[in-house]
Amino acid sequence: MNDRVHGLDNGLTNYGDRDFARFLRRSFARSMGISRELLDKPVVGIAMTPSGFNNCHRYMPDLVEAVSRGVLAAGALPRPFPTVSLGEVFLNPTSMMYRNLMAMDTEEMIGAQPMDSVVLIGGCDKTVPAQLMGAASAGLPAIQLVTGPMSTGRHKGQRLGACTDCRGFWAKYRAGSVDSDEIKAVEGRLSVTAGTCAVMGTASTMACLAEALGMSLPGTAAIPAVHSDRLVAAEETGKAAVRLIESRLTPRDIITRKSVENAMRVLLAVGGSTNAVVHLAAIAGRLGIKVPLSRFNELSDETPVLVDLKPVGEGYMEDFHVAGGMGALLRELRPLLHLDTVDVEGRTLGERLADPIDWVDRAIVRPFDEPISEVGGLVALTGNLAPDGAIFKRAAATPTLFESEGRAVVFTGLEDLAARVDDPNLDVRPDDILVLQNAGPHAAGMPEAGYLPIPKKLAQAGVKDMVRISDARMSGTAFGSIVLHIAPEAAIGGPLAAVRNGDRIRLSIANKRIDLLVEENEIKRRLADHRPPPAPVRGYKALYRRSVLQAPDGCDFDFLSHQADAR
Ligand code: FES
């Protein structure tokens, strides 16, 4: 190590006497049973996120131990510290509301505590984006480790994985083809190990994007949570974090416009989660990188879907791992990628991909010229209903609905939806378009409510999909012909607020548009009467409402974005 300040001497507590602060810190560190020899070493912080409310992080203690082993082996002192943990299904009103809180916690604890580099251990949907956002702003060398995906369960001989199969069985239960005894049995067979959802949902997508950005070690995104390779990856991540202290590579060196575009290519090629579009915008936004929706669509039109996993295809993340994982996929995408980006090891992507790969299961990772779809899984829409954009997951939608015009059936918010969607008297037909208002970031924290249920009377009649539109998000494990993230949202007076029952709406995936077929003057007249919903008055929720940006800016806080840094 050179003679710059390192280890526990970083960021001394302010007592007005630096030597006393150093003496006191080392004395207190001794109380943790650390030898003088180790106290003189550089320090690797380990941002850990165990929680009794986060099943996806159940093996966190084992991962922390393995990372610590790697740090010690490489000659530094590991110091685990807790941050906020976000278990997707345990949070109300929605985990999305707390992603920015976790990002702030991560950034501040990296900056406030004495460390030379940091390992970020996350997994469940919002945790990896929160950690990358925080680390990007903290500016210290950082490396991401994910907890890894769950393994699949079995029900009557069928493989089950959270949570695409949760939704499939629940839709059958609502339609009456699965009874209450069977749904109870399925409940115990969907999530059978530690780890994140078993399909290419948001957590798996973000794990792949972290690797594509260069922020985690090559080949680590898809290793199952319970596989011994996951612990080996954790140990290697600890060693790499020590090397980062010397190389001084920070997230700003690794997350660049080019690596963000590479990550977008991967998102499109895995048929990944719509949520990743928001999270990637937030991570990139911390470093002043903005990729316009028009560029996103260019990438989408050139990037084939190559990975055959649910919810777009048939496989599970454990299949992706044994099929060759990200290494296999990146090699197929090679002609489309920027090869001069660098990863946490300081290697360019081109150097990484020059290494040979032993075997690829072509049933899971298709060759470039035999894709599942010739165009990317997601597409951005604009139109008079979404002047600032919307997202549509074409890979998980019904192609016959791509060009649709229908009558709007409007729900004015989440409570209205819950109260009326299954009402036998609801005036709804299979070719209608279901509209949900006031579920965007300001109104509701942008929950995963965009997967509106098919009204019960239509589901029981065999209707499996309808066009549904909203300013909400959708789980990465969900599927259907669903327009999401409409911006600006209804609650701040976006045109979505102007839709009334019976209006005509046109969706055109060919033209990448979503339009309300109502005269412009009439839309303006309706919006002139718009009143925003009441705002919370105290605490974090009040801060959230005041500060959250719209989906195209990643729903970050205005005071945390790169623009705020520049002020
Ligand atoms: Fe944690 Fe799905 S609930 S990844």
Side-chain angles (χ1 to χ4, degrees), residues 56 88-89 124-125 196-197 203:
C56 304
E88 187 62 24
V89 302
C124 196
D125 290 14
T196 50
C197 285

Side-chain angles (χ1 to χ4, degrees), residues 334-349:
R334 200 174 195 282
L336 300 179
L337 297 174
H338 301 290
L339 298 174
D340 54 348
T341 57
V342 294
D343 64 16
V344 278
E345 293 278 67
R347 282 213 307 173
T348 66
L349 183 59

Side-chain angles (χ1 to χ4, degrees), residues 41-52:
K41 301 283 186 191
V43 172
V44 174
I46 304 171
M48 61 174 184
T49 50
S51 165

Side-chain angles (χ1 to χ4, degrees), residues 360-377:
V360 177
D361 180 353
R362 291 300 178 192
I364 297 292
V365 182
R366 301 280 184 86
F368 188 85
D369 48 8
E370 291 174 36
I372 293 157
S373 157
E374 288 184 356
V375 291

Side-chain angles (χ1 to χ4, degrees), residues 54-57 86-90 123-126 147-148 150 162-163 191 195-198 201-204 475 477:
N54 195 339
N55 59 295
C56 304
H57 294 194
L86 303 175
E88 187 62 24
V89 302
F90 295 95
C124 196
D125 290 14
K126 308 302 177 296
T147 56
M150 284 183 212
C163 215
S191 308
T196 50
C197 285
T202 304
S204 299
S475 165
T477 62

Side-chain angles (χ1 to χ4, degrees), residues 387-409:
D388 294 341
I391 292 290
F392 184 81
K393 188 169 184 174
R394 56 183 164 188
T398 305
T400 52
L401 295 175
F402 282 10
E403 306 301 314
S404 292
E405 188 187 311
R407 191 181 65 141
V409 175

